[in-house]
Amino acid sequence: DVKVTQSSRYLVKRTGEKVFLECVQDMDHENMFWYRQDPGLGLRLIYFSYDVKMKEKGDIPEGYSVSREKKERFSLILESASTNQTSMYLCASTSGDFQGFTGELFFGEGSRLTVL
Amino acid sequence: AQTVTQSQPEMSVQEAETVTLSCTYDTSESNYYLFWYKQPPSRQMILVIRQEAYKQQNATENRFSVNFQKAAKSFSLKISDSQLGDTAMYFCAFMNYGGSQGNLIFGKGTKLSVKP
């Protein structure tokens, strides 16, 4: 079974803290994504990566950074957490093989972050 | 820029009945993919069904089928014989053919409740 694992299901942090959200996939996928999910706003892309050490900004990158040192791991970093970053964060991955691409993203279960 | 609109924030249906979720999109491209994703409560998001824009035939996956109207830029999801396990958030999504793989644009979602 394919698997995308997010390290923490629930986190509570204080304003100004540095927060790391980890995501690991076991499918040897090239492409990995971080989305933010808020009620009434759907999913919004924060950052994505097509290869190790590569990153691209999504639609809402402000206040976030990412790290991809290994193919299977993609980390989302909140340098100084703020209350407006309270949200559900979803990691996803997919194959980078265009010939075999089906459009299917494989998602983790999500990390619900509360910033007090 | 492409946009995806789901006009029904919430819907409900009785078990065993049929329900249709609406989705419209806006694009100037002629080749693209459309998707419906399902997010059950507290569980990870999964792909339900996929449609390639160049295919005129509507996609079907068991009890799930789509009504793809390219000229109208409409992509609705029909769930037949609804089951309690269909209770979930449903997201319509769009991706350009040949675009950044996995970089989907999501609608805001429709919360579907199946009632016994």
Side-chain angles (χ1 to χ4, degrees):
Chain A
D1 237 6
V2 297
K3 202 147 178 78
V4 177
T5 303
Q6 294 184 228
S7 55
S8 304
R9 290 293 303 275
Y10 301 94
L11 303 94
V12 179
K13 298 292 182 180
R14 297 206 173 275
T15 301
E17 280 193 83
K18 190 169 186 175
V19 181
F20 291 87
L21 300 179
E22 303 282 339
C23 175
V24 178
Q25 50 93 5
D26 65 359
M27 296 164 283
D28 201 35
H29 282 165
E30 291 80 8
N31 304 342
M32 297 188 73
F33 304 81
W34 275 106
Y35 286 92
R36 173 175 170 162
Q37 181 180 6
D38 299 289
L41 296 179
L43 276 72
R44 294 178 291 168
L45 182 63
I46 304 172
Y47 267 97
F48 57 101
S49 168
Y50 292 141
D51 202 350
V52 175
K53 296 192 184 296
M54 294 186 68
K55 60 184 179 183
E56 298 282 345
K57 292 181 180 179
D59 299 319
I60 52 165
E62 296 79 18
Y64 304 95
S65 62
V66 290
S67 172
R68 193 157 179 210
E69 296 296 319
K70 293 185 177 181
K71 188 177 184 180
E72 67 270 19
R73 187 179 298 271
F74 191 36
S75 303
L76 180 69
I77 304 157
L78 288 67
E79 294 288 343
S80 178
S82 63
T83 55
N84 63 11
Q85 292 179 309
T86 291
S87 187
M88 171 70 87
Y89 291 88
L90 299 179
C91 176
S93 72
T94 191
S95 170
D97 175 8
F98 185 76
Q99 292 297 325
F101 181 64
T102 62
E104 182 168 9
L105 287 177
F106 295 88
F107 284 87
E109 292 186 320
S111 297
R112 185 168 294 282
L113 172 66
T114 301
V115 183
L116 302 176
Chain B
Q2 290 88 3
T3 58
V4 176
T5 302
Q6 293 179 248
S7 58
Q8 305 148 314
E10 291 193 44
M11 296 186 72
S12 65
V13 63
Q14 292 295 130
E15 197 174 7
E17 294 189 347
T18 295
V19 63
T20 299
L21 280 58
S22 300
C23 173
T24 59
Y25 58 94
D26 189 23
T27 183
S28 58
E29 303 292 333
S30 56
N31 290 326
Y32 46 87
Y33 297 95
L34 293 162
F35 311 90
W36 280 98
Y37 277 83
K38 170 186 177 181
Q39 186 182 39
S42 300
R43 296 186 63 186
Q44 63 208 108
M45 194 171 313
I46 57 172
L47 178 67
V48 174
I49 199 164
R50 174 182 67 249
Q51 176 81 41
E52 290 152 289
Y54 69 87
K55 292 184 177 178
Q56 292 187 334
Q57 187 172 3
N58 288 326
T60 299
E61 290 287 342
N62 301 314
R63 297 182 296 106
F64 298 87
S65 61
V66 298
N67 183 5
F68 173 48
Q69 301 288 329
K70 191 172 184 179
K73 296 181 182 175
S74 171
F75 183 61
S76 59
L77 175 70
K78 186 172 83 171
I79 306 174
S80 304
D81 186 25
S82 297
Q83 300 176 359
L84 296 178
D86 295 333
T87 292
M89 283 290 293
Y90 287 83
F91 293 94
C92 179
F94 168 99
M95 194 189 87
N96 271 331
Y97 185 83
S100 303
Q101 286 167 230
N103 192 350
L104 275 60
I105 299 167
F106 287 87
K108 295 181 179 181
T110 296
K111 185 178 182 180
L112 177 66
S113 299
V114 179
K115 301 186 184 304

